[in-house]
């Protein structure tokens, strides 16, 4: 069963959102994201197709088009949403791969749903792929797809990219289905990870969980050779800078500072409300700095925590914890007409995000574990005047690249407080030097560079044999 497409992207979610049209009918809007802007040129050039879930329980919408982009909508039943998406993806794999910050749950029924859903995505990929096509599978929700496709189609090239960390073997070994997951991934020709350390962890899992031989970046699987290497993801830096430079966005940034009562320093956090992001520790550090008077009275914190996975238990617990901490700080330090923490449990358009990035003097990224963290790179891309400072957790992929940041261990609250104070009192010359360094990296290594380097390496994967990827 051969399809028509030379390039097939498979990801858990489609790059479009369902919205309500003027007559109450549902319409599809492209959801702006780095991945789609990076892959769109390749998709258009090669007549590609994108396979993914729509985000709603219900039947599959099947093939459709949005702005000339060919899409195939997959359906998940209400039970599959519960067992596959909220269960195995968000309550087993997500915490396990983020160093068990929250305890992962292991349920056989969830695993069965994971296998079934992966099989249906693999079938869709097989059906869409033309002879000799390239199939690019994304992320932890679809780790079995590469092998499931390989079993039916030896003619295609398969790449896989893991957006989240790949944990050390002692942690990965907890997974009752560790061998199946490793073998599922090894159906690919090339496996991409955010950091070198993730690729190294995966190579170790191949040896330990599947008893396979590895040499450098290569894994021997029967008569095939699979390669695992780092391809740090990035953002559409030029596109975002263009938004940040718009007159309306700059005006909005000034309005935000005015609305905050013109503080001397604006600290900013922007995260999905997720326990990996270290929001409570950031709030605690800020609260202590206020108590100790080390930041002065005119320092505001804006914390955007966009709603995420609200039906998963650990996320409800986190929301309560964050909201209690915010209330406590505001209760203690607010004055009539001024509130130290502006907490925004909402989602915003990209223009508003850019205005927030422009309005902030110090960006706080304090993840306990994060595959990359695009927010850090977005902040840097928006700071075209080379001002501003970034406090960045060592436990993000971004820390390997953004060497101009104030790197912190988010578990070390005193160290975190010191870094916030240093970032808030940085001299303009030092800020410029650091920001210039970071901007060079983000502008040169943007998301198009990432996609190109992955796809070029995939195109040559089999020709290179055992040559290690730099
Ligand atoms: C996973 C990995 C890896 C957030 N709130 C709003 C909004 N956002 C956007 C940000 C950013 C994205 O969402 C979040 O990306 P992150 O990288 O920070 O984190 P995850 O969602 O956990 O992503 C991560 C990433 O995959 C890519 O591989 O970096 O490590 O965990 O782009 O700007 N965007 C808008 N409104 C919001 O309210 N428009």
């Amino acid at each position: 069963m051969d399809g028509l497409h030379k390039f097939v992207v498979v990801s858990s979610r489609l790059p479009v959102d369902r919205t309500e049209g003027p007559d109450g009918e549902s319409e599809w809007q492209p959801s702006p994201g780095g991945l789609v802007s990076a892959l769109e040129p390749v998709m258009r050039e090669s007549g590609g197709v994108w396979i993914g879930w729509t985000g709603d329980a219900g039947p599959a919408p099947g093939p459709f088009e949005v702005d000339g982009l060919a899409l195939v909508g997959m359906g998940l039943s209400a039970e599959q949403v519960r067992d596959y998406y909220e269960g195995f993806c968000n309550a087993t794999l997500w915490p396990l791969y983020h160093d068990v910050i929250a305890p992962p749950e292991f349920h056989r029924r969830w695993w069965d749903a994971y296998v079934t859903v992966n099989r249906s995505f693999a079938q869709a990929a097989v059906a869409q792929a033309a002879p000799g096509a390239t199939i690019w599978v994304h992320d932890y929700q679809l780790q079995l797809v590469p092998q499931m496709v390989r079993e039916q189609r030896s003619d295609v090239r398969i790449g896989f990219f893991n957006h989240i960390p790949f944990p050390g073997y002692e942690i990965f070994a907890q997974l009752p289905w560790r061998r199946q997951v490793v073998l599922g991934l090894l159906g690919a020709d090339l496996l991409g990870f955010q950091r070198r350390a993730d690729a190294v962890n995966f190579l170790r899992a191949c040896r330990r969980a599947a008893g396979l031989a590895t040499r450098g970046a290569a894994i021997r699987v029967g008569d095939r050779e699979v390669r695992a290497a780092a391809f740090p993801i990035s953002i559409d830096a030029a596109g975002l800078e263009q938004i940040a430079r718009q007159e309306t966005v700059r005006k909005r940034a000034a309005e935000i500072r005015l609305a905050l009562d013109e503080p001397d320093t604006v600290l900013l956090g922007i995260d999905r409300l997720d326990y990996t992001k270290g929001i409570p520790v950031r709030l605690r550090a800020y609260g202590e700095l206020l108590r100790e008077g080390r930041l002065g009275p005119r320092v505001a914190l804006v914390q955007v925590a966009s709603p995420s996975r609200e039906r998963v238990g650990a996320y409800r617990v986190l929301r309560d914890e964050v909201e209690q901490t915010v209330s406590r700080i505001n209760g203690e330090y607010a004055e009539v007409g001024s509130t130290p923490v502006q907490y925004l449990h909402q989602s915003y358009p990209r223009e508003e995000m850019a205005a927030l990035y422009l309005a902030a003097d110090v960006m706080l990224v304090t993840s306990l574990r994060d595959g990359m963290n695009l927010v850090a790179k977005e902040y840097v891309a928006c700071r075209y005047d080379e001002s501003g400072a970034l406090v960045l957790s060592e436990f993000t992929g971004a820390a390997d690249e953004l060497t101009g940041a104030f790197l912190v261990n988010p578990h070390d609250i005193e160290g975190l407080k010191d870094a916030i104070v240093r970032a808030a009192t940085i001299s303009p010359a030092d800020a410029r030097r650091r920001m210039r360094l970071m901007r060079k990296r983000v502008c040169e290594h943007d998301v198009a560079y990432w996609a190109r380097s992955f796809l070029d390496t995939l195109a040559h994967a089999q020709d290179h044999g055992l040559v290690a990827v730099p």
Side-chain angles (χ1 to χ4, degrees), residues 75-89 92-93 107-121 141-142 144-145 148 177:
L76 293 185
S77 67
E79 293 74 40
Q80 286 174 332
V81 173
R82 186 191 64 205
D83 294 346
Y84 159 78
Y85 175 69
E86 291 165 1
F88 202 76
C89 293
T92 305
L93 292 174
H107 299 296
R108 284 165 285 184
R109 197 184 65 228
W110 291 1
W111 165 254
D112 292 342
Y114 187 73
V115 175
T116 306
V117 172
N118 271 249
R119 198 171 298 290
S120 69
F121 275 69
Q141 300 96 343
L142 299 171
L144 307 179
V145 169
M148 288 171 169
W177 308 279

Side-chain angles (χ1 to χ4, degrees), residues 274-290:
D274 193 294
Y275 51 78
T276 58
K277 304 292 183 184
I279 302 170
V281 85
R282 184 182 317 165
L283 290 170
R284 224 167 293 141
Y286 176 66
E288 288 189 21
L289 286 170
L290 289 180

Side-chain angles (χ1 to χ4, degrees), residues 24 37 43 55 77 79 90 142 241 247 321 331 349 373 380 417 423 441-442 470:
S37 56
M43 298 268 295
S77 67
E79 293 74 40
N90 290 340
L142 299 171
E241 177 173 336
E247 175 79 27
E321 182 190 353
N373 195 285
V380 167
K417 282 156 58 184
R441 175 75 198 186
V442 172

Side-chain angles (χ1 to χ4, degrees), residues 259-261 297-298 329-340 342:
L260 293 168
D261 202 18
R298 301 195 43 80
I329 297 173
N330 283 341
E332 275 176 45
Y333 300 103
E335 285 171 16
V336 175
S338 94
T339 315
Q342 298 279 321

Side-chain angles (χ1 to χ4, degrees), residues 25-74:
E25 277 174 26
S26 71
E27 283 183 351
W28 296 100
Q29 293 284 338
S31 52
L35 200 54
V36 65
S37 56
L39 297 182
E40 214 178 313
V42 197
M43 298 268 295
R44 291 196 196 278
E45 210 173 283
S46 58
V49 66
W50 195 311
I51 298 169
W53 177 42
T54 57
D56 302 318
F64 61 106
E65 249 187 44
V66 175
D67 291 352
L69 213 61
L71 306 167
V72 174
M74 302 296 292

Side-chain angles (χ1 to χ4, degrees), residues 3 17 37 50 72 117 124 128 173 182 213 216 246 297 335 340 347-348 430-431 439 445 459:
D17 292 322
S37 56
W50 195 311
V72 174
V117 172
Q128 295 296 327
V182 167
Q246 285 168 16
E335 285 171 16
S347 288
Y348 293 97
D430 192 19
R439 285 181 56 77
H445 292 75

